[in-house]
Amino acid sequence: MIGFDTLVSMANTKETAVTKRDEALAKIDDYFDSGHFEKELARRIAYKTESNLTGCETALASYLEDEMIPYLVELDFECETYPNPRQDAGPFLVARRNESDDLPTVMTYGHGDVVAGYDGQWDNDMNPWVITKRDNRWYGRGTADNKGQHTINLAALKSVLETRESLGFNVILLIEMGEERGSPGLKDFCALHKDLFQADVFIASDGPRIHPDKPTIFMGSRGVFNFIMQLNVHDGGHHSGNWGGLLTNPGVVMANAIASMIDKNGKILVEGWRNTNIPGSVRSAIAKLEVGEGENTPQINPFWGEPDMTPGERVFGSNTFEVRAFETGNPKSPANAIPPSAVVYGHLRYVVGTQVDQLMPLLRVHLDRHGFQDIEIISERDPMYATRLDPDHPWTQWAIASLNKTNGENISVLPNLGGSLPNDVFADVLGLPTIWVPHSYAGCSQHAPNEHILEGTTRSALRLMTGLWWDLGAGNAPKHAKNVSQ
C-alpha cells in the first residue's frame, strides 16, 4: 500500500513537471514575441543558398560554417561537415548532442538550400533575402522552405534545454544543402555513414499543414516518378498549306497518346499505374481530413481524379498522373507549319505498394499497345520513393498525443504527404520510424516569388515543437521502437 507521504511526493513531482513544461512554453512564446525568432530567421534568410543555380557553392558552405555550426556549438553539439558523394552537390552537416546512452535518441533534419530567389519578381519589389512583414505574412526566400521550419525546431530544442537544463534525450541533426535539386548524394551519404545515424526515431519538419490553423502530422510521403515522352518526326517545320494532310503532325500524335494514358476526368488508364488499395488504418485517418480549404488555395474539382474515392483519398491514398508541360512547334511565335517534334514532361505521384521499377516498362507496353511505338520515353531522374508509417505505430501515437496536449484539441493526421520528400532515405536506408510536423501551408508560394510564412502558424509551431521535445525527454517515449515493425 502506498503511504500518504509517497502520494504527496508523487503529486508534487507531477505538479513540478507540468509547471516546467508550461515554463518552457512561456519561454518560447517570449522568444517569438520579443523578436528573437525574427532576428535569427532574418540572418539565415540573408544567405543566398540557391542550390539550383551555378556559383552557389560558397553560400552553401557558409550557411553551415558561419551560421549553423556556431549556433549549435553554443548548445553543446559536436559538429562536422562532410563532402557530398556527388562532387557537383552541396555538403552535409552532422551535429550530435549525446547526454546518455540510456536515453532515447532522435534524428532530426533540415535543408539550408533554397530555390532561385527570382529577384525583381516579388510584389512591391520586395527583396527575397530580407524578411518583409505585411499583415500576418512574413515574406522571404526560405521562410517556409526550409530555413523557417528548422529554425523553429532548433529554437524549441533550446527552450527545453534552458528550462530543464538538459534535454532528456540525445539528438542527431543532419542538414543538407541540395534538397531543392532532389537531394543528390543524400541516399549514398546516409548508406555510407549509417553509423552516424543510430537513432530510435526521426522527427523533422517540411511541407505544409493541411490547413494553416490546423496543426498537422504526417509519417511519410508519396513517391514521384518523372519522365519525358518525345516524338521526333521531321527535320524541320513544313508549310501546312503545302504539306497539310500529307505529313504526320507529332503534336496531334502526342495529344492522342496522352488521352490514352488519362481520361478527361483525371482517371489513370495505364494498366499497372493505378493503386487503389488503401489499408484500413490509412483510410480511417484520411476520413477525418478536410482537404482543399484554407488561405490562398485554389478551387478543387470534386470530380477530378480516381473515381469512387474521396478528395482526401485521391491526394493522400492513391496514385495521380500529371502532365507538367507539353510543347510542340513554337508556342511563343506560332507558325503556319507542321511542327517537327513534340515533347511531354509528365510524372506520377505514387503511394506505398506501387512497383516503381515497373512504371517505365508498363508505360512502354501501354504506348506500344495503342500504336505509339515511335514515342521515346526517358526517365528524367531517379525517383523519390514512397514511404508511410502506420498511423497506429507507437511513435505515431506518442507524437499525436504530445501535439494534442499542446494544441488543446485534435490535430490532423496524414498517413503520408501528398507531395514528395527524401523520406525513403530515413525510413528505408536508415530504418527509422519517421514523423514530420510541418510548419507551413499550401498557399505559401514556396517555389515562386512571394514565399512566406504565417505569423500565427509560426507562433503555434514553436509551441508545438517545444511541447514535443519536452515530452520526448520526460521518460514516456516508446521503448525499443526501432524493433517495432513499420
Side-chain angles (χ1 to χ4, degrees), residues 266-312:
K267 177 184 175 181
I268 297 173
L269 302 177
V270 180
E271 186 174 344
W273 273 24
R274 299 171 71 215
N275 189 330
T276 59
N277 182 25
I278 305 177
S281 60
V282 174
R283 191 182 297 274
S284 177
I286 292 175
K288 302 172 185 177
L289 303 174
E290 297 179 2
V291 300
E293 298 182 358
E295 181 180 346
N296 204 31
T297 57
Q299 182 67 41
I300 69 169
N301 178 356
F303 306 107
W304 183 266
E306 196 66 39
D308 303 320
M309 282 191 176
T310 67

Side-chain angles (χ1 to χ4, degrees), residues 119-287:
D119 301 65
Q121 299 182 36
W122 293 49
D123 289 348
N124 303 308
D125 202 29
M126 288 185 292
N127 184 343
W129 311 109
V130 175
I131 292 179
T132 301
K133 298 164 66 174
R134 298 185 186 278
D135 299 324
N136 187 41
R137 298 183 178 189
W138 292 18
Y139 293 90
R141 178 60 81 223
T143 51
D145 188 15
N146 175 260
K147 293 175 180 177
Q149 302 215 35
H150 63 253
T151 296
I152 288 170
N153 292 357
L154 293 174
L157 271 177
K158 186 177 182 180
S159 179
V160 170
L161 181 58
E162 291 178 347
T163 304
R164 185 184 271 148
E165 299 183 351
S166 69
L167 292 175
F169 57 92
N170 308 313
V171 184
I172 304 168
L173 167 66
L174 171 64
I175 296 183
E176 70 160 316
M177 301 303 293
E179 195 271 351
E180 298 298 1
R181 290 182 52 200
S183 297
L186 176 64
K187 181 173 288 188
D188 291 340
F189 176 75
C190 288
L192 184 64
H193 296 286
K194 283 186 179 181
D195 57 304
L196 297 177
F197 305 113
Q198 297 297 307
D200 295 286
V201 66
F202 174 94
I203 301 175
S205 299
D206 204 347
R209 292 180 172 187
I210 195 168
H211 185 281
D213 298 326
K214 189 71 171 178
T216 300
I217 184 175
F218 61 87
M219 290 76 70
S221 64
R222 288 199 295 181
V224 60
F225 163 64
N226 286 6
F227 62 95
I228 301 170
M229 298 171 23
Q230 60 185 29
L231 177 60
N232 300 309
V233 180
H234 314 296
D235 290 336
H238 296 275
H239 194 285
S240 60
N242 298 332
W243 297 101
L246 300 176
L247 298 183
T248 297
N249 188 311
V252 174
V253 175
M254 191 66 79
N256 279 271
I258 295 171
S260 78
M261 298 169 63
I262 187 169
D263 75 8
K264 65 176 183 178
N265 294 314
K267 177 184 175 181
I268 297 173
L269 302 177
V270 180
E271 186 174 344
W273 273 24
R274 299 171 71 215
N275 189 330
T276 59
N277 182 25
I278 305 177
S281 60
V282 174
R283 191 182 297 274
S284 177
I286 292 175

Side-chain angles (χ1 to χ4, degrees), residues 52-69:
N52 57 347
L53 299 183
T54 58
C56 64
E57 294 80 11
T58 299
L60 298 180
S62 183
Y63 185 78
L64 298 180
E65 296 288 348
D66 300 330
E67 175 57 35
M68 299 311 302
I69 289 178

